[in-house]
Amino acid sequence: MPLETGGGQDLALSDLLDRALDKGVVLWGEATVSLAGVDLVYVGLKVLIGSVDAVQRMRGAAPGGLPAAEADETA
Amino acid sequence: MSDKPSGVYVYGLVGGTGAPALDEERGAVVAATLAPPRLLSCGDLTAIASDLIVLGDTALDTVMQDSRQAEALVLYHHAVLRAFVGEDTVVPFRFGTLFHDDGAVAGALDRSRDGLLETMRRVNDAIEWGVKVFVSRDRLGRRIEEETSAIAELKAEMARARKGTAFILKRRLQRLIEEESEQAIVGCLGTITDHLSRRARESAQCRLQPAEMHGRDDEMVLHMACLVDRGMELDFFTLIDDLREAYSGFGFEFDITGPWPPYSFSDCRLEGDEDAA
């Protein structure tokens, strides 16, 4: 389920989810808006990994797609 | 429909103050939009942030629980960090870090300043690369059959044996191949891990993925994240090529993923507010 990125590398959705939703700095506090749904999002996205057209649909779901710096490298 | 910002979304921190060229298009889905990223300075910390606009009366939780909309936002989160990591040191925040306004972001950064600066130093001028190692047990088993003397002796014994005995010997042969394969995998992975760890500034084990996630016929036996100094990527890739060449005859294959913002080395929880529970 690869998504083409720069340098001939493929970005697998599963790799991205394992990082962006499971790692990285967690900064909590009173001023943080509650995103209690994040765990649910993760479950939902995991299910979608098996879907054949998930990545293409994801690309289409974001008008303008990825920022230019990334999109340029897909050429 | 209201288009007032619902909050300030923070992607992470960036070491410098220069922003890469980003498309003016927004990370938008049906009910929510992330405005083009901007830099938000707070003393010696600089956050990459966007206004998040949730349209109309839609509750934010409703947006986040819609997988398709959340997918688009996750991809945009990564795309923004990916654009910055090409140019500068980035400390990625976990997806979904949202504050009421710029003042709340600044306050949280200020209160977690020491931990954030420590993380910034840890990943300074380095990029994360993922390494996945797969093994074909069939190919490894065939190689072991060819090279193990105990197996050759067992096969010769089988050739001489009667039918009933040959059946028992065949079971023993299969068990022996499986045991030898397991030992070979453990030994090879120990060496591979050692090489990767020595070439990286830091390394970390990642979750092994099941076949339905990695999509290959072979079994994933190692998944590592390696923090590699910027400018040392070619050395790192050369090491992977060398390992690939050394181990391909045993049924091992290597995949590299990345470059990633250093998610696996920014894995800390910080209390952004003194009054937080």
Side-chain angles (χ1 to χ4, degrees):
Chain A
M1 197 68 52
L3 180 70
E4 272 292 322
T5 58
Q9 302 286 335
D10 288 337
L11 169 63
L13 176 58
S14 51
D15 294 337
L16 173 56
L17 296 184
D18 267 351
R19 286 178 166 83
L21 277 74
D22 202 34
K23 295 174 179 172
V25 170
V26 177
L27 195 60
W28 294 116
E30 191 182 48
T32 313
V33 176
S34 167
L35 277 186
V38 163
D39 287 344
L40 289 173
V41 170
Y42 192 46
V43 172
L45 294 177
K46 285 266 199 188
V47 171
L48 282 164
I49 289 170
S51 164
V52 173
D53 63 347
V55 170
Q56 284 308 318
R57 194 183 63 250
M58 285 167 61
R59 279 190 134 178
L66 309 179
E70 177 119 349
D72 285 346
E73 294 172 3
T74 60
Chain B
M1 284 180 116
S2 162
D3 61 352
K4 282 166 61 179
S6 302
V8 178
Y9 186 90
V10 182
Y11 304 88
L13 302 176
V14 63
T17 51
L22 288 166
D23 201 317
E24 283 302 304
E25 294 288 349
R26 299 165 173 216
V29 291
V30 177
T33 298
L34 278 169
R38 57 191 167 85
L39 298 182
L40 189 58
S41 288
C42 171
D44 45 6
L45 294 170
T46 303
I48 309 163
S50 280
D51 289 331
L52 176 71
I53 300 157
V54 178
L55 302 178
D57 299 325
T58 311
L60 184 57
D61 278 358
T62 307
V63 175
M64 298 303 288
Q65 288 172 28
D66 178 327
S67 291
R68 293 193 182 195
Q69 303 198 54
E71 280 171 359
L73 294 176
V74 172
L75 268 189
Y76 193 73
H77 170 96
H78 175 66
V80 168
L81 287 174
R82 170 72 181 80
F84 276 85
V85 86
E87 317 240 334
D88 215 327
T89 298
V90 163
V91 173
F93 283 13
R94 187 167 303 185
F95 174 76
T97 306
L98 189 65
F99 291 87
H100 289 297
D101 52 32
D102 285 4
V105 177
L109 294 185
D110 191 45
R111 280 183 283 273
S112 293
R113 185 174 171 277
D114 290 348
L116 292 170
L117 284 173
E118 187 184 326
T119 306
M120 182 68 89
R121 279 192 293 273
R122 182 182 175 193
V123 301
N124 183 46
D125 225 11
I127 293 175
E128 177 176 331
W129 293 90
V131 180
K132 298 177 181 178
V133 182
F134 301 88
V135 68
S136 159
R137 287 187 182 263
D138 285 348
R139 282 169 56 201
L140 177 61
R142 283 198 297 274
R143 180 72 182 255
I144 283 171
E145 257 185 276
E146 289 166 13
E147 295 193 354
T148 310
S149 58
I151 288 174
E153 287 164 16
L154 201 54
K155 281 175 137 179
E157 197 180 337
M158 275 173 64
R160 295 190 302 268
R162 290 183 182 178
K163 197 173 178 183
T165 313
F167 177 76
I168 295 168
L169 290 175
K170 189 178 176 188
R171 294 280 298 275
R172 194 190 299 170
L173 175 69
Q174 283 170 343
R175 247 193 340 265
L176 188 57
I177 291 171
E178 283 169 15
E179 286 168 7
E180 292 285 336
S181 295
E182 279 304 322
Q183 281 181 25
I185 289 171
V186 170
C188 291
L189 291 184
T191 310
I192 290 165
T193 304
D194 190 42
H195 277 288
L196 291 172
S197 303
R198 274 193 276 135
R199 195 61 60 94
R201 183 190 295 184
E202 267 191 71
S203 60
Q205 297 278 343
C206 301
R207 264 197 297 261
L208 293 178
Q209 296 172 337
E212 58 266 28
M213 284 179 81
H214 61 67
R216 295 174 64 128
D217 293 334
D218 297 336
E219 178 185 345
M220 184 188 281
V221 286
L222 181 68
H223 189 189
M224 282 181 78
C226 296
L227 188 65
V228 178
D229 288 349
R230 200 183 291 274
M232 297 301 285
E233 293 91 343
L234 276 182
D235 281 3
F236 188 70
F237 298 155
T238 302
L239 170 67
I240 304 286
D241 283 343
D242 291 345
L243 291 171
R244 192 177 278 133
E245 196 178 327
Y247 289 98
S248 65
F250 295 91
F252 287 86
E253 292 192 23
F254 294 75
D255 272 359
I256 304 177
T257 67
W260 296 101
Y263 285 110
S264 302
F265 306 95
S266 307
D267 196 7
C268 58
R269 287 177 173 266
L270 300 166
E271 297 297 338
D273 193 286
E274 287 170 334
D275 301 326

